[in-house]
């Protein structure tokens, strides 16, 4: 990372971890950051199954639920665009610590919420925490990996993100059905895990030289130079297609399953999120040796196939076919995420472009949030089935375009 070199009196007196002076890291250092990514992403999906209870208590509709989610996306995107360079000033370790502290504050906001506006505030704070974490976790994982492998770091980041989102939603869904205090239990458990993760991150030996006395900092709009902008444009089609598909399932998946299985069980309805994100976490770990381009092209093919199978399964009221398509889609997302993240992380390590990661995740959160908000609004007018088929066709076409571009860029003449 591009970190201003402080004087000897301003530093902690520890050697820079790169090159021949690199401090050896133990496996638990890497696994701790992976675990932190898992917990924070689980927290990002945990509120979704609880919206039904909030609606019953405070009598608001689907439009308000969509607005609450939009506040989360807004917090994440604005943080990435305005504070994405904070890791350059604080170092990735301190930025992760700040992210964990902020996520704990969001849990307190959820626990104290008594109206819909308070949910919006809690989700906004949660988005800030996710933005801070994602802007720094990728490079931190690459630094802490024993071989400094950007591919292994990207696979772990992708797996932790997907499985965290999956299990966070399922855990909250189970809390709705079985916990005595379903609006308290998920946030209490996640707060305990976050505080524990904060302690472990602070216990990791510092792997960067950072100033002991920090200079004043103010938010600045993220700016990309010509080279990092070119790299981001190269992965933009893959990122947009894969995250838009996930946004489609997040927006409509629970309602689709409820209608398909004729159930009001929120835990059962949340199963589709577990399938999509769970397979999104498993695929990168099983296929982590794939190159960046191969992972992206394969992922796009699976996205197209998965969405097609899911739409067919829903239209024919065939639950197994629908869930099979969701599994294929999730695997495609995981491979696209791994391939694009690996490309960006490698550029950050080799070219010293730390602003790439915030730009990358800002694009990703825009791609996942726009379908959620748009599909949620359209479903109230045209129906869930029609919106799922229409949006499914659009994102499948986008995935075809992204995969074609990735193939052409892999040829020597391209």
């Amino acid at each position: 990372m591009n970190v201003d070199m402080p004087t000897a009196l301003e530093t902690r007196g520890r050697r820079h971890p790169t090159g021949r002076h690199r401090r050896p890291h133990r496996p638990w250092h890497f696994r701790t950051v992976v675990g932190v990514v898992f917990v924070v992403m689980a927290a990002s999906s945990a509120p979704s199954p609880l919206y039904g209870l909030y609606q019953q208590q405070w009598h608001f509709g689907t439009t308000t639920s969509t607005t609450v989610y939009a506040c989360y996306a807004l917090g994440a995107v604005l943080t990435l665009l305005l504070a994405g360079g904070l890791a350059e000033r604080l170092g990735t370790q301190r930025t992760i610590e700040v992210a964990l502290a902020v996520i704990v504050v969001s849990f307190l906001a959820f626990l104290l919420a008594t109206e819909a506006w308070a949910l919006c505030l809690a989700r906004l704070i949660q988005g800030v925490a996710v933005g801070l974490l994602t802007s720094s976790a990728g490079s931190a994982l690459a630094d802490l990996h024993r071989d400094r492998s950007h591919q292994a770091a990207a696979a772990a980041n992708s797996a932790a993100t997907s499985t965290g989102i999956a299990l966070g939603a399922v855990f909250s869904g189970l809390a709705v059905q079985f916990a005595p205090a379903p609006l308290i239990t998920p946030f209490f458990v996640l707060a305990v895990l976050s505080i524990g993760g904060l302690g472990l991150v602070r216990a990791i030996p510092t792997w960067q030289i950072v100033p002991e006395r920090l200079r004043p900092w103010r938010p600045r709009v993220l700016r990309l130079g010509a080279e990092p902008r070119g790299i981001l444009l190269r992965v933009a089609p893959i990122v947009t297609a894969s995250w838009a598909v996930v946004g489609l399932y997040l927006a409509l998946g629970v309602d689709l399953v409820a209608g398909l299985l004729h159930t009001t069980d929120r835990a059962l309805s949340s199963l589709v999120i577990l399938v999509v994100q769970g397979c999104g976490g498993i695929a990168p770990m099983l296929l982590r040796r794939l190159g960046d381009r191969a992972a992206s092209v394969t992922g796009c093919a699976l996205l197209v196939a998965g969405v097609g199978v899911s739409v067919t399964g829903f239209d024919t009221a065939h639950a197994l076919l629908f869930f099979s398509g969701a599994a294929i889609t999730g695997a495609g997302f995981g491979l696209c995420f791994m391939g694009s993240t690996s490309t960006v992380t490698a550029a950050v390590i080799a070219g010293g472009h730390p602003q790439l990661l915030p730009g990358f995740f800002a694009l990703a959160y825009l791609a996942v949030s726009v379908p959620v908000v748009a599909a949620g609004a359209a479903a109230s007018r045209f129906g869930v089935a029609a919106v799922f088929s229409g949006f499914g066709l659009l994102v499948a076409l986008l995935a075809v375009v992204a995969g074609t571009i990735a193939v052409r860029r892999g040829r020597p003449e391209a």
Side-chain angles (χ1 to χ4, degrees), residues 90-322:
L90 295 181
T92 54
Q93 186 172 15
R94 286 178 174 175
T95 306
I96 292 172
E97 292 170 5
V98 172
L100 287 169
V102 173
I103 202 74
V104 172
V105 172
S106 76
F107 299 145
L108 293 176
F110 275 111
L111 294 174
L112 297 175
T114 56
E115 296 183 42
W117 69 265
L119 286 183
C120 292
L121 177 61
R123 281 299 256 170
L124 182 69
I125 298 172
Q126 207 170 51
V128 172
V130 170
L132 290 172
L133 180 76
T134 53
S135 67
S136 54
S139 57
L141 288 171
D143 285 338
L144 293 174
H145 191 269
R146 64 179 183 274
D147 299 324
R148 291 184 61 81
S149 168
H150 62 86
Q151 288 182 316
N157 196 2
S158 176
T161 298
S162 295
T163 54
I165 293 173
L167 295 181
V170 171
F171 174 59
S172 286
L174 293 173
V176 170
Q177 298 297 321
F178 304 110
L183 297 181
I184 296 176
T185 302
F187 301 118
F188 177 78
V189 173
L190 288 167
V192 171
L193 293 175
S194 299
I195 294 171
L198 177 59
L200 288 174
V201 171
R202 290 184 61 83
I204 299 175
T206 302
W207 63 85
Q208 295 168 305
I209 292 180
V210 292
E212 191 67 36
R213 291 175 294 181
L214 300 177
R215 294 175 297 171
W217 176 85
R218 65 180 184 274
R220 293 181 179 177
V221 177
L222 184 68
R223 295 180 180 178
L224 298 176
E227 184 179 353
R229 187 166 57 246
I231 296 169
L232 189 60
L233 288 174
R234 190 172 72 193
V235 301
I238 302 290
V239 175
T240 305
S242 56
W243 285 76
V245 170
V246 170
L248 180 66
Y249 280 91
L250 289 176
L252 304 176
V254 173
D255 290 334
L256 290 171
V257 174
L260 194 61
L261 301 181
H262 306 289
T263 181
T264 57
D265 188 329
R266 302 293 294 182
L268 185 60
S269 299
S270 300
L271 186 61
V272 65
I273 299 177
L274 174 64
V275 172
V276 172
Q277 297 291 353
C279 291
I282 293 171
M285 299 310 296
L286 294 179
L287 301 174
R288 60 184 177 274
R289 296 187 183 279
L290 281 179
D292 299 352
R293 185 175 68 90
S296 298
V297 172
T298 305
C300 285
L302 292 176
L303 289 178
V304 176
V307 171
V309 171
S310 280
V311 170
T312 302
F314 185 78
D315 290 343
T316 59
H318 198 298
L320 181 60
L321 198 61
F322 174 81

Side-chain angles (χ1 to χ4, degrees), residues 8-27:
L9 293 176
E10 292 177 314
T11 65
R12 300 181 181 181
R14 293 173 180 169
R15 293 182 182 274
H16 196 281
T18 57
R20 64 180 180 178
H21 297 305
R22 177 181 175 239
R23 177 188 292 271
H25 292 290
R26 297 181 180 179

